[in-house]
Amino acid sequence: GENVEQHPSTLSVQEGDSAVIKCTYSDSASNYFPWYKQELGKGPQLIIDIRSNVGEKKDQRIAVTLNKTAKHFSLHITETQPEDSAVYFCAASGGSSNTGKLIFGQGTTLQVKP
Amino acid sequence: DAEITQSPRHKITETGRQVTLACHQTWNHNNMFWYRQDLGHGLRLIHYSYGVHDTNKGEVSDGYSVSRSNTEDLPLTLESAASSQTSVYFCASSPGQQPYEQYFGPGTRLTVT
């Protein structure tokens, strides 16, 4: 089955710097890659996603890139702000079983220092 | 507005007791999922359902059960609670077709003493 690895597990940046979180997946048939942000005491919330027919997607300060050949995808946050501090999860779906399940990475705790 | 809710938000129970966590969504989504979240493990799938009367085991299903009698609800039951089941539990739902975006509830923090 699908396996998703996420790095780093913790990331600390200064306000205004960029942050990059990377994920790799194992099932080459996976075709949907969402990113979730989880604030303290809340459930994960989708912030951006990408499908396998697209190499990059941007939404204001957030971008995601996908390399299907290498089976990895990354989240880029530019001009980080303290409110970006949270746990971020990547996930993959639509693989060989194509059942709608999401397989999650282990999560990255991002701390943005003012 | 449509939403997904979980109850209770916090629960303390004793080892060996049966516990049921509720999940209710008003989006009329076909797919519903239960995850547990533990430090270092991210979100692990416990059980999931693709529709009424359909249930499937996830990667960490031992000691848990679910039933789906209607579209809106997927209760999670711990048959005999164990300390290893102390965790934060999240319910999620999705429409049932691609791109499979899932919407999460606020979570239930369960402590088994």
Side-chain angles (χ1 to χ4, degrees):
Chain A
E2 176 66 279
N3 183 53
V4 178
E5 296 288 334
Q6 182 172 346
H7 299 281
S9 57
T10 60
L11 180 60
S12 181
V13 300
Q14 288 295 135
E15 182 177 0
D17 287 350
S18 295
V20 180
I21 302 170
K22 299 181 179 181
C23 289
T24 60
Y25 61 99
S26 60
D27 190 339
S28 57
S30 289
N31 59 11
Y32 176 63
F33 307 92
W35 285 90
Y36 286 81
K37 176 183 181 182
Q38 185 180 25
E39 297 177 341
L40 200 60
K42 297 184 178 180
Q45 185 171 21
L46 180 74
I47 55 172
I48 195 167
D49 56 15
I50 192 167
R51 300 184 184 93
S52 58
N53 59 347
V54 176
E56 183 176 2
K57 184 177 179 181
K58 284 185 178 180
D59 183 3
Q60 299 182 352
R61 298 186 295 107
I62 293 174
V64 58
T65 57
L66 172 65
N67 183 326
K68 287 191 297 181
T69 302
K71 290 189 285 187
H72 67 71
F73 55 112
S74 301
L75 178 70
H76 304 253
I77 305 174
T78 58
E79 301 173 22
T80 54
Q81 301 167 4
E83 52 265 39
D84 294 329
S85 295
V87 179
Y88 291 81
F89 291 97
C90 63
S93 181
S96 302
S97 59
N98 199 26
T99 56
K101 293 189 294 182
L102 290 177
I103 306 302
F104 286 87
Q106 296 85 349
T108 296
T109 301
L110 173 64
Q111 181 187 28
V112 180
K113 299 177 184 176
Chain B
D1 285 345
E3 60 178 356
I4 182 167
T5 57
Q6 294 183 235
S7 62
R9 296 294 314 277
H10 301 271
K11 175 77 175 178
I12 300 175
T13 191
E14 295 178 344
T15 301
R17 290 192 180 267
Q18 183 181 79
V19 177
T20 297
L21 309 182
C23 175
H24 180 81
Q25 52 97 2
T26 59
W27 284 299
N28 202 35
H29 284 167
N30 286 328
N31 295 359
M32 296 185 72
F33 306 84
W34 273 104
Y35 297 89
R36 61 178 288 174
Q37 184 176 30
D38 306 286
L39 270 176
H41 291 280
L43 292 157
R44 292 184 292 174
L45 185 63
I46 306 172
H47 281 287
Y48 57 103
S49 168
Y50 291 137
V52 176
H53 302 311
D54 175 75
T55 61
N56 305 278
K57 294 181 179 180
E59 61 179 307
V60 290
S61 61
D62 288 349
Y64 304 94
S65 64
V66 294
S67 62
R68 187 92 179 269
S69 59
N70 58 52
T71 301
E72 296 80 17
D73 299 289
L74 186 69
L76 177 71
T77 297
L78 286 68
E79 305 294 344
S80 177
S83 57
S84 59
Q85 295 177 308
T86 293
S87 186
V88 180
Y89 292 86
F90 288 99
C91 178
S93 70
S94 73
Q97 64 269 357
Q98 295 198 30
Y100 303 132
E101 175 180 343
Q102 292 186 16
Y103 300 85
F104 282 80
T108 294
R109 181 174 294 278
L110 176 67
T111 302
V112 182
T113 61

